[in-house]
Amino acid sequence: MTPQPAVAMYVHVPFCRGKCRYCAFVSEPVTPARAETVVAALIHEACQRAQPDTVETLYIGGGCPTVLPETDLLRFVTVLAESHPHVTEFTVEAHPAQVSGPLLRRLREAGVNRLSIGAQSFVPGELQRLGRAHTTADVAHSVYAACRAGFGNLSLDLIAAVPGSTLGDFEHSLRCAIDLAPRHVSVYALSYEAGTELTRQRDAGLIEPVDEETDRAMTFAAIEILAAAGFEQYEISNFARPGFECRHNLTYWANRPWLGIGPSAASWDGVRRTTNVADVEEYLRRIAADQEPWNEVVSPDPIEIACETAVLNLRRRGGIDLAEYQRATGFDAMELFAEAIAEHVQAGFLACRDGRVVLTTAAVPVADRILCDFAAL
Amino acid sequence: MTGPMGTEHIRNFSIVAHIDHGKSTLADRLLERTGAVSDRDKKDQMLDDMDLERERGITIKSSAVTMTYHRHGRDYMLNLIDTPGHVDFHYEVSRSLAACEGALLVVDAAQGIEAQTVANAYLAVDTHNEIIPVVNKIDLPAAAPDRVAEEIEHVFGIEREACIFLSAKTGQGVEALLDAVVDRLPPPADRLDEPTAALIFDSWADPYRGVVCMVRAFAGELVVGRKIRLMSSGRTYTVTELGRLAPMPTPIERLGCGEVGYVIANIRRLADVTVGETITDDARPAARPLPGYKRPVQMVFSDFYPGQNTDYPRLRAAFEKLTLNDASFSFSPHNSAALGFGFRCGFLGLLHMEIIQERLERESDVEVVQTAPTVSYEVLTSDGQVTRIDSPSALPDRSRLAEIREPIVRLEVLTTTETIGGVMKLAEQRRCRLLRTDTLGPTRVLLEYKAPLAEIVYDFYDQLKGISHGYATMDYDFVAFEPGDLVKIDILVNKEPVDALSMIVHRSVAEVRGRQMLMRLRDAIPRHQFEVPLQAAIGGKIIARETIKAFRKDVTAKLYGGDVTRKMKVLKRQREGKKRMKAIGRVQIPQEAFMSVLNRGDKS
């Protein structure tokens, strides 16, 4: 097996204005000097590892890229865009309180054509509980500003099952999001990650997680309400109007090769999965010393790759495309996972149709119970 | 130690006692006083040679030690024959006692008589042993030797003056005991001239020597090189070695009448020898075997399944190894529709089962799933035939069933007067019929019951301990099979009967037992993506039901490139968890579910 060139590049910007209570991503508060150093390092790594001929999508996330000083962010975006001529989708994650009309225009001019705005909720109390430093009005303003700046492809992130949230609250957020007419909506049920403030509060009994039934009802509410508004669920947590699926993220679920740049970012070339050091200081040191930035290398064997591919494919509502799967992994998925497929088809959680194995809607809230049977043979 | 001719100088005796009353310490002290064991090579509790026994404080295989004691100007040969303490080994105890003329009845000076003391003492009397009552642990601050002596007089009718008061720990009184052994216990009858008859009271497999038998010669003698015959099996062997355990094996040429020692005779399999067998001389056989021979009766049964199907051969190998030094344990292949291939195992009793379980865990690393213990039943079918069944699933169809008979035991419970109410209530719930109460002094009562064994294997002991604040002790002894109003309860998981969970119970408690079982299953079976109904049924009639609610939400919200490695690990672990369970239809049942049924009551 030989490594394949990446078709997607992700860049992790390790800065935030403050830590949200649910967030386990690597980030630190930003200072101008620090930003310059880190951006220089990111550019350095991106150029070193660039695969300009094959990369089709770029995605700058974090952290919060829009917390960077404007000049640094624009410089960075410009370098990335110019060095990747075949890019058709260039996403930047944006914080609703950190985007101005001029910045958005310049980003658009520099080649960014998709914004992912972290709306999270349209219930003020929920934003507070999540520790988000923005208001619901900020979200609306950022969306209008983005539209005026020429962004036709906007995505809003929502968080479901925020402590204290009711099904009604969540439906309100969904409707508000729809009213802003994005092309894409991501709905993430809140997960309690180790080391986060929210997890600490839960363990200390200060907050009560949303009960399982409500959480489940929210999952179905998202599917139904978004479908009624023309958004199709194309992955467990992602909804889009036809043609506006996030191509960058589809690369992950197809298990095609991608490059990850920046602290803690992972890359996959079809042979190895490398993960960069998470510690920003150590990352900078390695880049400065021209050393490999990763400290974790995994080389899955063909069966493991086949399992990973199946799990990732099944996250898509389009599921495993058997022909595509065979080409990518060399295995017949129907044969490889015969037992699991038979069991879950019988239980009504999987369906086989049109050369595909897909999760049924009933399986969505309990998908891990099904996917785990594809995680190993 | 070649003693004078005759048997006048021989004393064969055992020590009978409740588990913690200091039997092993006393045995050690006797060995020390007679010089059989020097301090240097002394191990604690010399007679208990398996780790397990030491840990549990129980002797599960008997052994015997020969000592020399000087008194009245001559050497006496004292053979101390060890007895297992627990009634599961009742038969082995009885054979050990049969090999003796006397028994030291040891009672703790602080705790007094226990149920086990009573059962074992009766057994010693039944086997015509002269009893020397011994009040041990007189050095304890809480010791009340006079009160205990009074109890002994009251319960056994032995005058309190006959008691030897000692402390095995400090050694105080041990000389007096040895003197009493010589002076008060009778020597064996001298029947040297009669045809050889030696009783096998213990046997084990030595990896290098084959089977070693411990014997007591009642008549004639055993001589190296002679051909012997086992009277019940008819098999013949040539004696290759004779010896005494002093306590190290000491070979001898002859084992004379009245003596105790070991015999090695090229016997390959432990199963070829049964405790209670009579060895005779092949050329000049005894007219009849020594009395009291029985094959060990297995009363408690349980199925063992390998946690992974591939472990089946390993489980078999592990069981085969266990039978090498425990012939009273049996196993046979058993195929359950729900659980696949496993083994049906038979035990003498509950304690015996626990010991085997522990040895299995310790000596092999095979994961097992074990079903609820059941007792053996006698079934009368409509055609008048009587068969023994050892599993509820072996019960014939209801249309052919005329009568189910269950094993009945005589149960002795010793408890305090304050807790007697609770104990009697428990006994009543368990269908025990009170035969007799006996007050042992102002605070203690002995209760004697006729009880169904099935009710005793059912967490009875744990409950008894709880009710009596740890005080009560119990013992039981099989009496007979008797008909009862018994029904078979089927347990259905997701509408499918799980044969391994079915049980035979008395009709009066069927609903309660069914419900208890379902509640335990409900707590033990993990949730699934669908609702799982649990039902208990008699025939086609549902008598209890429970539901395991479905998993409602279990999905990772974000799975992008950077999360793949970590998420795959989590999913693999989740899958491993599922794989460790046995699938019943679409439902996965973990080993704990079976264990929770097995352990019925609260784990002690």
Side-chain angles (χ1 to χ4, degrees), chain A residues 188-189 212-213 215-216 219 237-238 249 252-253 258 273 315 349 365-369 372-373 376-377, chain B residues 527 529 551-562 564-565 567-568 571-572 574-575 578 586:
Chain A
Y188 302 112
E212 227 179 61
E213 282 303 333
D215 191 345
R216 179 184 172 89
T219 305
S237 300
N238 287 282
N249 287 340
Y252 298 136
W253 302 317
W258 77 86
R273 187 172 300 106
R315 294 275 306 184
F349 291 124
V366 290
D368 284 6
R369 311 282 310 168
C372 72
D373 288 329
L377 289 185
Chain B
R527 292 188 299 162
Q529 295 94 306
F551 245 115
R552 304 303 282 165
K553 193 73 201 300
D554 184 9
V555 57
T556 303
K558 288 191 182 185
L559 183 47
Y560 297 112
V564 176
T565 306
K567 191 59 209 173
M568 288 300 290
L571 288 172
K572 271 185 210 164
Q574 194 169 352
R575 176 181 157 78
K578 272 170 96 170
R586 285 159 63 209

Side-chain angles (χ1 to χ4, degrees), chain B residues 28-309:
Chain B
D28 288 347
R29 192 62 70 183
L30 294 176
L31 295 185
E32 216 178 281
R33 278 301 155 94
T34 55
V37 182
S38 69
D39 280 338
R40 204 151 33 85
D41 58 16
K42 185 176 99 181
K43 281 198 300 180
D44 276 348
Q45 306 200 348
M46 194 70 202
L47 289 182
D48 291 359
D49 54 2
M50 294 169 77
D51 287 0
L52 190 62
E53 292 169 14
R54 187 154 322 184
E55 203 167 281
R56 301 184 68 98
I58 296 167
T59 310
I60 57 166
K61 296 300 284 181
S62 318
S63 190
V65 183
T66 302
M67 299 168 278
T68 307
Y69 186 61
H70 198 76
R71 179 157 172 83
H72 305 314
R74 63 183 290 190
D75 279 345
Y76 284 86
M77 178 196 283
L78 309 187
N79 293 309
L80 167 58
I81 297 177
D82 195 24
T83 59
H86 193 275
V87 277
D88 278 358
F89 308 102
H90 201 279
Y91 176 66
E92 294 189 22
V93 178
S94 79
R95 292 308 85 202
S96 295
L97 291 170
C100 301
E101 278 77 36
L104 312 183
L105 176 66
V106 176
V107 183
D108 185 306
Q111 303 199 359
I113 291 172
E114 306 280 11
Q116 212 170 65
T117 324
V118 179
N120 284 333
Y122 284 159
L123 206 52
V125 173
D126 287 350
T127 44
H128 314 294
N129 275 273
E130 184 68 34
I131 306 281
I132 299 178
V134 176
V135 179
N136 189 19
K137 305 197 188 178
I138 56 169
D139 57 308
L140 289 182
D146 292 337
R147 182 178 59 75
V148 171
E150 199 175 311
E151 269 185 13
I152 290 171
E153 180 171 322
H154 178 82
V155 176
F156 302 111
I158 304 171
E159 285 172 22
R160 66 187 78 179
E161 289 72 30
C163 289
I164 307 281
F165 297 92
L166 59 77
S167 163
K169 193 170 147 207
T170 65
Q172 183 192 350
V174 171
E175 296 285 335
L177 177 61
L178 285 164
D179 291 350
V181 166
V182 170
D183 299 345
R184 283 158 59 177
L185 298 183
D190 188 353
R191 295 160 60 194
L192 183 64
D193 300 334
E194 295 176 30
T196 304
L199 173 74
I200 300 177
F201 60 85
D202 191 15
S203 63
W204 63 88
D206 180 287
Y208 304 106
R209 315 298 306 276
V211 175
V212 181
C213 300
M214 289 304 300
V215 301
R216 150 74 196 270
F218 276 90
E221 61 180 348
L222 290 164
V223 181
V224 173
R226 280 212 195 139
K227 208 166 176 190
I228 54 167
R229 187 194 301 175
L230 300 183
M231 290 188 77
S232 77
S233 74
R235 291 196 176 91
T236 58
Y237 303 92
T238 302
V239 176
T240 56
E241 186 177 324
L242 292 169
R244 297 191 184 97
L245 297 175
M248 291 302 130
T250 312
I252 47 175
E253 277 303 304
R254 294 166 178 271
L255 187 83
C257 181
E259 292 185 8
V260 169
Y262 65 85
V263 179
I264 297 174
N266 282 330
I267 304 173
R268 299 254 166 72
R269 296 189 315 141
L270 192 64
D272 294 339
V273 179
T274 329
V275 166
E277 264 272 24
T278 302
I279 296 179
T280 191
D281 193 292
D282 189 48
R284 189 186 164 225
R288 62 186 67 83
L290 294 162
Y293 172 77
K294 279 194 293 193
R295 289 206 72 84
V297 184
Q298 288 154 351
M299 299 300 289
V300 173
F301 293 83
S302 173
D303 295 347
F304 286 67
Y305 296 92
Q308 318 255 328
N309 269 336

Side-chain angles (χ1 to χ4, degrees), chain B residues 317-564:
Chain B
F319 279 145
E320 271 164 4
K321 205 172 133 211
L322 288 175
T323 53
L324 285 183
N325 49 21
D326 186 350
S328 51
F329 156 70
S330 75
F331 69 100
S332 54
H334 183 75
N335 185 11
S336 149
L339 297 171
F341 288 96
F343 296 96
R344 170 120 281 230
C345 300
F347 310 93
L348 300 174
L350 263 192
L351 181 90
H352 188 212
M353 181 176 81
E354 275 176 42
I355 288 167
I356 294 287
Q357 275 173 326
E358 279 180 29
R359 286 187 56 198
L360 189 66
E361 272 170 36
R362 187 173 314 210
E363 294 166 25
S364 67
D365 58 350
V366 188
E367 244 184 81
V368 293
V369 173
Q370 190 190 348
T371 63
T374 54
V375 299
S376 164
Y377 291 91
E378 262 185 18
V379 173
L380 175 67
T381 43
S382 43
D383 56 5
Q385 291 217 321
V386 176
T387 46
R388 279 280 287 277
I389 61 155
D390 55 26
S391 151
S393 52
L395 209 59
D397 188 75
R398 296 210 306 165
S399 57
R400 287 180 48 232
L401 194 60
E403 192 172 275
I404 306 177
R405 299 171 186 159
E406 62 178 332
I408 300 295
V409 298
R410 188 183 62 187
L411 170 72
E412 274 136 10
V413 177
L414 206 151
T415 192
T416 55
T417 41
E418 298 122 60
T419 57
I420 186 168
V423 170
M424 288 178 85
K425 198 168 151 218
L426 172 69
E428 199 178 311
Q429 284 165 1
R430 299 306 179 88
R431 300 189 285 127
C432 302
R433 196 157 62 75
L434 188 63
L435 297 177
R436 172 172 92 88
T437 57
D438 197 350
T439 309
L440 313 183
T443 58
R444 290 162 15 106
V445 186
L446 179 69
L447 304 169
E448 200 178 297
Y449 285 99
K450 192 174 147 185
L453 178 61
E455 298 287 344
I456 302 199
V457 301
Y458 193 94
D459 80 346
F460 183 83
Y461 189 59
D462 289 344
Q463 298 245 348
L464 185 66
K465 280 286 180 197
I467 287 168
S468 65
H469 316 294
Y471 189 86
T473 56
M474 64 169 255
D475 214 332
Y476 64 83
D477 187 9
F478 173 73
V479 178
F481 281 95
E482 289 183 9
D485 188 8
L486 301 165
V487 291
K488 181 185 171 202
I489 301 184
D490 291 312
I491 299 296
L492 293 83
V493 175
N494 203 25
K495 309 262 168 72
E496 290 192 48
V498 181
D499 52 1
L501 296 178
S502 61
M503 51 190 168
I504 295 173
V505 301
H506 195 261
R507 192 182 298 276
S508 62
V509 295
E511 198 184 318
V512 175
R513 293 291 154 79
R515 192 168 303 283
Q516 285 173 346
M517 168 86 81
L518 296 188
M519 300 215 321
R520 293 208 171 89
L521 279 175
R522 186 195 60 194
D523 294 341
I525 297 178
R527 292 188 299 162
H528 285 64
Q529 295 94 306
F530 44 88
E531 253 186 21
V532 178
L534 302 174
Q535 296 160 310
I538 299 174
K541 188 170 166 268
I542 305 295
I543 55 163
R545 88 175 66 227
E546 283 287 338
T547 305
I548 299 171
K549 292 182 102 178
F551 245 115
R552 304 303 282 165
K553 193 73 201 300
D554 184 9
V555 57
T556 303
K558 288 191 182 185
L559 183 47
Y560 297 112
D563 313 313
V564 176

Side-chain angles (χ1 to χ4, degrees), chain A residues 42-56:
Chain A
L42 293 176
I43 289 175
H44 185 81
E45 190 196 353
C47 292
Q48 284 278 306
R49 300 175 68 189
Q51 289 175 325
D53 298 337
T54 52
V55 168
E56 295 164 6

